[in-house]
């Protein structure tokens, strides 16, 4: 029945129709002349771009105006911009809230600032995010959501610290001195005198963001996703309807290769019970790896990961593969979670932990990187990338994706460089195992101090801990006897 479906020629709107880019919002505000000698035509039926609501002022308890703008942020997702103004007392307030749902996993962004241009990076800080300037030894707890830049974020923090300094100087001189030291260091950072330093935004809800740049190298901009703790889920108001009490134990602890094991788990997205499948696969001439897959039938959440085992080698490994023919795209490739990926000809660099562990082909790995990055850059619903992208930046991204697409189709030669401090990555050879593949180069290297620190190897002790434990027990007993005497 077409007539019933049209229901009076009414157009059905989806939730995404309400969230347009700011450029489209501005076009709706532009006056139309159409031969009226420059006079704008008024149409009472036009929708308001900014919603205005009369609301109570919490400062003078008179009525003020709250304005709401529903829009999209390039590289990110839908948000609601809110501002309040009171004409009676002059009070003003503004904040940002995510219009999306809580993401299946939390996210942590790390930006290493090395030049003044980095201060212009856009930052979306949700009301659940924790902001840290590591070198400043400063942490900002969850609070009001903000849409700002790195410079604006640091300036606001320093300005807030300066409030009440005179009172601290009189009542708590020690606190005043420590806060004054942080303020001076923050001002030097804003002046560009303290490069490099790092900014982290850790959001358990996964609704915060730091804008990347296609020229970012390894270690410049990082994104890490993680499974929330029960305490974080509780703080976000999430709880499992039927929590899993525990997984049944197997009678035989030995894992049989190529056999699929299933055990109950909790979905990180909706916290409902789900099933995780595990299978151990023996990669020829390499080592055994564990493939894990989780699927939730309630919310549709899916994830897969590859875990490598065995002892930690003394040296890291760097593998270089020259992809010269379309057949090379079909090579099996194992990228561990600790491995970084680099393709110089494609201007592509992927930091460790960004994709997790993956066991796929060269083509499959490139396709996943391409799709993930494309969805982040052009998530506004079109290939234009939103109104905030300049024409030069838009053309650079278009050229970047054209290069990756040509490589995926086998039309462009490129190099894949895997750098793994745990030597747990692998690229398939197309020659006999006892022969050297002319297109693959492997190199062992000494791990850097930063890699050792990131992997937690400096704090790991595997020998002599029994004696230390015994000495600690004896020392404690000796102190007890002395105190008893």
């Amino acid at each position: 029945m077409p007539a019933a479906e049209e229901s009076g020629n009414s157009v059905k709107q989806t939730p995404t129709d309400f969230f347009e880019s700011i450029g489209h919002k501005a076009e709706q505000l532009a006056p139309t002349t159409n031969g009226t000698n420059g006079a704008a035509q008024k149409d009472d039926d036009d929708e308001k771009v900014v919603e205005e609501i009369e609301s109570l002022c919490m400062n003078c308890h008179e009525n003020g105006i709250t304005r709401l703008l529903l829009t999209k942020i390039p590289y990110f997702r839908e948000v609601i911009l809110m501002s309040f103004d009171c004409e009676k007392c002059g009070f003003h307030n503004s904040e940002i809230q995510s219009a999306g749902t809580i993401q299946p996993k939390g996210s942590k962004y790390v930006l290493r600032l090395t030049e003044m241009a980095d201060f212009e990076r856009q930052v979306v800080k949700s009301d659940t995010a924790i902001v840290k300037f590591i070198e400043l030894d400063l942490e900002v707890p969850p609070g009001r959501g903000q849409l700002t830049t790195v410079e604006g974020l640091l300036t606001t923090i320093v300005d807030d610290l300066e409030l009440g300094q005179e009172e601290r100087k009189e009542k708590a001189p020690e606190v005043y001195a420590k806060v004054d030291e942080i303020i001076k260091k923050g001002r030097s950072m804003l002046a560009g005198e303290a490069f490099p330093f790092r900014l982290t935004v850790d959001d358990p809800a996964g609704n915060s963001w730091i804008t990347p740049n296609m020229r970012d190298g390894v270690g410049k901009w990082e994104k890490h996703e993680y499974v929330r703790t029960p305490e974080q889920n509780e703080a976000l108001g999430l709880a499992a309807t039927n929590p899993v009490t525990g997984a049944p134990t197997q009678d035989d602890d030995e894992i049989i290769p190529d056999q699929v094991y299933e055990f109950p788990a909790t979905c990180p997205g909706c916290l409902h019970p789900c099933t995780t499948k595990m299978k151990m696969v023996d990669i020829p001439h390499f080592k055994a790896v564990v493939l894990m897959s989780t699927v939730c039938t309630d919310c549709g959440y899916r994830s897969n990961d590859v875990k490598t085992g065995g002892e930690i080698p003394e040296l890291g490994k760097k593998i270089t593969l020259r992809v010269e023919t379309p057949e090379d795209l079909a090579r099996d490739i194992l990228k561990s979670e600790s491995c970084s990926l680099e393709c110089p000809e494609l201007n592509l660099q992927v930091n460790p932990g960004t994709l997790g562990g993956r066991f796929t082909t060269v083509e499959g790995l490139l396709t996943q990187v391409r799709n993930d990055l494309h969805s982040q850059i052009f998530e506004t619903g079109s290939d234009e990338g939103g109104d905030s992208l300049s024409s030069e930046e838009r053309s650079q991204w278009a050229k970047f994706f054209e290069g990756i697409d040509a490589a995926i189709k086998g039309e462009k030669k490129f190099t894949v460089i895997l750098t793994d401090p745990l030597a747990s990555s692998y690229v398939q050879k197309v020659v006999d195992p006892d022969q050297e593949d002319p297109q693959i180069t492997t190199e062992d290297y000494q791990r850097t101090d930063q890699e050792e620190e990131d992997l937690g190897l400096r704090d790991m002790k595997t020998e002599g801990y029994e004696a230390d434990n015994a000495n600690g027990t004896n020392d404690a007993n000796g102190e007890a006897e002395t105190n008893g005497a």
Side-chain angles (χ1 to χ4, degrees), residues 255 259-261 263 276-280 290-292:
I255 299 178
Q259 181 172 336
V260 178
Y261 293 86
F263 53 90
T276 294
K277 296 183 179 181
M278 181 182 70
K279 178 181 180 181
M280 188 173 71
V290 177
L291 307 181
M292 304 187 69

Side-chain angles (χ1 to χ4, degrees), residues 125-301:
K125 174 189 172 296
S126 75
D127 53 1
T128 58
I130 300 175
V131 174
K132 292 181 182 179
F133 285 91
I134 299 177
E135 282 71 18
L136 194 58
D137 196 18
L138 181 65
E139 176 178 317
V140 181
R144 180 172 59 91
Q146 290 178 280
L147 171 59
T148 180
T149 61
V150 176
E151 181 181 9
L153 186 62
L154 183 55
T155 301
T156 302
I157 293 174
V158 174
D159 291 343
D160 290 345
L161 288 175
E162 288 183 339
L163 296 176
Q165 271 294 81
E166 295 298 328
E167 184 177 355
R168 294 191 194 100
K169 188 175 182 180
E170 296 178 358
K171 297 182 178 180
E174 296 181 358
V175 177
Y176 167 81
K178 293 180 179 180
V179 174
D180 186 63
E181 182 180 352
I182 295 176
I183 292 175
K184 291 180 179 179
K185 190 172 182 179
R187 293 297 182 189
S188 67
M189 287 180 172
L190 290 169
E193 301 171 355
F195 291 128
F197 60 92
R198 291 165 294 172
L199 164 67
T200 67
V201 179
D202 189 347
D203 188 0
N207 288 324
S208 295
W209 178 254
I210 298 179
T211 304
N213 189 297
M214 65 179 301
R215 294 181 294 273
D216 290 341
V218 175
K220 178 75 173 180
W221 179 93
E222 299 178 9
K223 175 186 177 182
H224 303 277
E225 292 185 342
Y226 60 88
V227 178
R228 288 185 289 268
T229 63
E231 292 77 12
Q232 290 173 329
N233 281 324
E234 184 177 356
L236 294 174
L238 301 176
T241 54
N242 296 309
V244 179
T245 57
T249 58
Q250 298 285 343
D251 295 335
D252 190 358
D253 294 334
E254 183 180 357
I255 299 178
I256 303 175
D258 297 327
Q259 181 172 336
V260 178
Y261 293 86
E262 296 185 2
F263 53 90
T266 301
C267 174
C270 65
L271 297 182
H272 287 181
C274 61
T275 301
T276 294
K277 296 183 179 181
M278 181 182 70
K279 178 181 180 181
M280 188 173 71
V281 178
D282 189 6
I283 300 179
H285 314 291
F286 185 56
K287 63 171 67 174
V289 298
V290 177
L291 307 181
M292 304 187 69
S293 173
T294 302
V295 178
C296 179
T297 57
D298 292 326
C299 68
Y301 172 81

Side-chain angles (χ1 to χ4, degrees), residues 9-76:
N9 295 328
S10 62
V11 179
K12 182 179 180 181
Q13 289 183 312
T14 62
T16 56
D17 294 335
F18 296 101
F19 295 88
E20 299 177 341
S21 64
I22 295 180
H24 293 151
K25 297 284 188 181
E27 291 176 358
Q28 297 179 24
L29 290 175
T32 56
T33 54
N34 293 332
T36 57
N37 296 326
Q41 295 180 346
K42 296 184 179 179
D43 189 355
D44 296 336
D45 296 333
D46 288 344
E47 296 183 2
K48 291 184 178 180
V49 175
V50 178
E51 296 292 336
E52 296 185 353
I53 304 174
E54 187 175 4
S55 54
L56 179 66
C57 175
M58 302 307 295
N59 188 41
C60 66
H61 302 289
E62 297 290 339
N63 285 338
I65 298 297
T66 296
R67 294 177 175 85
L68 304 176
L69 174 63
L70 283 65
T71 185
K72 293 180 180 179
I73 297 179
Y75 311 105
F76 194 50

Side-chain angles (χ1 to χ4, degrees), residues 287 310-318 338 419-424 443-458 460:
K287 63 171 67 174
E311 64 179 7
I312 297 176
E314 296 183 1
L315 300 175
K317 179 171 287 188
K318 182 177 181 180
S338 60
T419 305
D420 192 346
L422 295 180
S424 297
E443 175 188 353
D444 294 332
Y445 72 94
Q446 190 70 36
R447 284 187 289 265
T448 63
D449 293 340
Q450 185 61 43
E451 288 175 336
E452 295 270 354
E453 184 70 26
D454 293 341
L455 296 172
L457 300 180
R458 291 185 173 272
M460 186 181 299

